[in-house]
Amino acid sequence: MAPPPPAAEAVAATTTTTMATGATAATTRLRQAAAPSSKAVRDADITSVVSNPSDRFARDWQRPTFSIKELRDAVPADCFQRSALRSLSYVARDLAMAALLGYLATHIDAAANLAADVTSAVATAPPLGLAPDAVAAAAGWAGFVARWGVLWPAYWVAQGAVLTGVWVLAHECGHRAFSDYAWLDATVGWVLHSALLVPYFSWKITHGKHHKANAHMERDQVFVPKTRSQFFGSSKDGKGSGATPSPRALAALRPALDAAPLLDTLLILRQQLFGWPAYLVANVSGQDYGRWTSHFDPSAPIFSPAQFAQVVASDVGVALALGLLWRAVSVFGPGAVICYYGVPYLWVNHWLVMITYLQHTDARVPHYAADAWDFVAGALATVDRDFGPILNELHHHIADTHVAHHLFSTMPHYNAQRATAALREKLGKHYMYEGGGLPSAFAALFRSFRECRFVEDDLSVRWYKAR
């Protein structure tokens, strides 16, 4: 297994006294929640966060005080047990479903021709008795709609969902959650991810860094929020020019931001279709290293010299997959490769970006500067989301058990639901979840994209804002 989360909208204060009292109480809670022996939020920054009326989530925020051992003890011990045989059975299941769908797709033309023939027969017979030209036109449209309006789209959606599950199983391998055998995890992960044009070991390296520093403003590797100065084109570190816009300038921008739903829709489509390859090729939504950074470049700053061979092996895997696709184009034609592989590949991109974006992009999710971050707080800065029973199953519950996954990434997916139930009870208000199935997830996608633009520059604990 990138863009910014929802803004904390302005909280209206009924009276000056009420606001002052609420801010004081919230400040006290935040100070009490910060563990003295850990990296604590600076008192000045705590006050800044709580007294900003637009950060409504800061008012109720408390630092989680659980230890990782305490959370591990809350999970049934057998949830951490891995089975190579069981994991391989999921690989076999997913590949069998992908093969079956591919086989069924070979009959799409025959099914479309049958729809045209049936339409022709109906249009010719009484009571319609259409003229030959009208019959031919009706049959042609029936075949076209059946082929391109129903059957191929059904294949693309279904195959994209299944192949996303294949991607998730390779993701398991990258976390050593697949089996007790490192060689097996490496082999299965490399083969499956290469087939989906993912540089397996390169991704594994940076994804491991993401898990070690989730929600860390300086060390996280993906979905790193822009700061206010970066978003508006000015920065203290020289990446932009000028000063942060004044409140009056921001107010002037608000109508333009609110009146651009069409632009947002187009940008979301771009993100969903091309966000994943853009991250791999150019580190889009990752840390800014001041130079071009790519998962395909062994000398990129995201890798150490000792990881050179792993990056090369990843590139070889993707090159082999591209070679096979080129051979398929020469044998079957570009149209067939696009229909059988290309469009489902774009659906895989969509699901990966949507799932991971929504896990890390939400108005409730805090992001931490170095002095405020710790592993448990960072791991809990993610949202479990329900994508409906079918997609949850096909995607191996990667969306609705992500909190458990960030806490214990070597836990196999087939035990994550039980672990999530135990953690949900233990974590209480520190567990973030959104149900409602796929409609709710798509609503959250548009909401987060429009509301989660940037975070403040200098606070230790930061929430997304829209303006």
Side-chain angles (χ1 to χ4, degrees):
M1 48 213 143
E9 296 288 352
V11 176
T14 55
T15 65
T16 303
T17 303
T18 302
M19 175 175 277
T21 303
T24 302
T27 303
T28 302
R29 289 198 301 271
L30 290 181
R31 287 173 173 165
Q32 291 173 343
S37 60
S38 67
K39 300 174 182 176
V41 183
R42 295 192 301 267
D43 283 352
D45 283 344
I46 295 174
T47 304
S48 299
V49 169
V50 206
S51 61
N52 188 336
S54 66
D55 286 334
R56 68 179 182 271
F57 295 102
R59 297 179 179 278
D60 297 322
W61 179 80
Q62 288 183 320
R63 173 176 293 280
T65 57
F66 310 100
S67 69
I68 194 66
K69 182 182 185 304
E70 182 181 358
L71 294 177
R72 186 182 180 93
D73 290 343
V75 176
D78 63 313
C79 288
F80 298 95
Q81 296 175 2
R82 300 167 294 195
S83 167
L85 185 61
R86 186 170 181 182
S87 295
L88 286 169
S89 72
Y90 283 101
V91 174
R93 185 198 77 172
D94 285 4
L95 293 181
M97 285 193 294
L100 176 61
L101 288 170
Y103 170 76
L104 293 175
T106 64
H107 297 280
I108 286 178
D109 284 344
N113 292 335
L114 177 61
D117 292 342
V118 170
T119 301
S120 177
V122 171
T124 303
L128 293 180
L130 300 180
D133 288 348
V135 171
W141 273 108
F144 179 85
V145 171
R147 179 180 284 104
W148 300 111
V150 178
L151 298 175
W152 275 117
Y155 166 78
W156 294 331
V157 172
Q159 189 71 288
V162 170
L163 292 180
T164 302
V166 173
W167 190 100
V168 172
L169 294 175
H171 165 269
E172 291 261 300
C173 295
H175 281 291
R176 292 298 320 280
F178 191 81
S179 75
D180 293 329
Y181 308 101
W183 65 268
L184 180 61
D185 289 16
T187 302
V188 174
W190 181 79
V191 170
L192 296 183
H193 261 181
S194 296
L196 295 172
L197 306 183
V198 179
Y200 171 71
F201 295 108
S202 303
W203 161 84
K204 175 184 175 182
I205 292 166
T206 60
H207 191 64
K209 292 179 180 180
H210 160 65
H211 270 262
K212 291 175 183 176
N214 186 52
H216 192 299
M217 286 296 298
E218 289 81 35
R219 290 170 45 212
D220 201 354
Q221 293 296 304
V222 69
F223 298 108
V224 180
K226 291 184 182 297
T227 62
R228 177 187 288 272
S229 58
Q230 291 169 341
F231 181 79
F232 287 105
S234 60
S235 176
K236 296 178 180 179
D237 58 11
K239 295 175 183 176
S241 59
T244 299
S246 66
R248 177 176 294 181
L250 294 179
L253 285 172
R254 179 168 183 164
L257 293 173
D258 290 342
L262 177 58
L263 176 60
D264 279 340
T265 300
L266 294 176
L267 292 175
I268 288 172
L269 287 174
R270 183 186 68 173
Q271 168 187 295
Q272 295 307 114
L273 294 177
F274 307 113
W276 172 240
Y279 169 67
L280 294 177
V281 172
N283 203 41
V284 171
S285 89
Q287 291 287 349
D288 183 0
Y289 293 96
R291 52 159 287 190
W292 182 69
T293 303
S294 173
H295 283 73
F296 296 93
D297 179 10
S299 65
I302 50 179
F303 306 120
S304 70
Q307 295 165 336
F308 185 93
Q310 295 183 67
V311 180
V312 171
S314 303
D315 293 349
V316 169
V318 173
L320 289 173
L322 289 172
L324 290 174
L325 288 172
W326 182 254
R327 176 60 179 167
V329 167
S330 66
V331 174
F332 303 106
V337 173
I338 291 172
C339 286
Y340 282 93
Y341 181 90
V343 180
Y345 170 76
L346 293 179
W347 273 100
V348 173
N349 291 349
H350 158 70
W351 290 123
L352 289 180
V353 173
M354 183 172 177
I355 290 168
T356 54
Y357 175 71
L358 290 179
Q359 286 166 343
H360 299 285
T361 308
D362 188 278
R364 295 168 287 176
V365 173
H367 290 79
Y368 301 93
D371 63 333
W373 184 91
D374 64 62
F375 177 79
V376 171
L380 295 180
T382 185
V383 181
D384 280 354
R385 293 188 186 273
D386 172 31
F387 275 61
I390 296 176
L391 286 179
N392 286 344
E393 178 63 27
L394 290 177
H395 296 167
H396 305 292
H397 293 276
I398 192 175
D400 61 331
T401 63
H402 196 64
V403 173
H405 173 64
H406 258 285
L407 288 167
F408 310 110
S409 60
T410 59
M411 179 190 299
H413 74 272
Y414 41 80
N415 293 331
Q417 286 179 277
R418 286 196 298 127
T420 294
L423 287 169
R424 185 171 190 167
E425 182 177 353
K426 176 69 175 178
L427 291 170
K429 68 178 182 180
H430 294 288
Y431 174 78
M432 289 184 279
Y433 173 81
E434 185 166 333
L438 202 54
S440 176
F442 272 104
L445 175 63
F446 279 82
R447 182 183 71 238
S448 292
F449 194 88
R450 284 186 60 78
E451 295 181 350
C452 300
R453 309 282 192 179
F454 61 88
V455 298
E456 295 294 355
D457 287 80
D458 299 322
L459 302 180
S460 285
V461 186
R462 313 170 193 188
W463 282 262
Y464 270 106
K465 293 185 175 182
R467 55 188 65 86

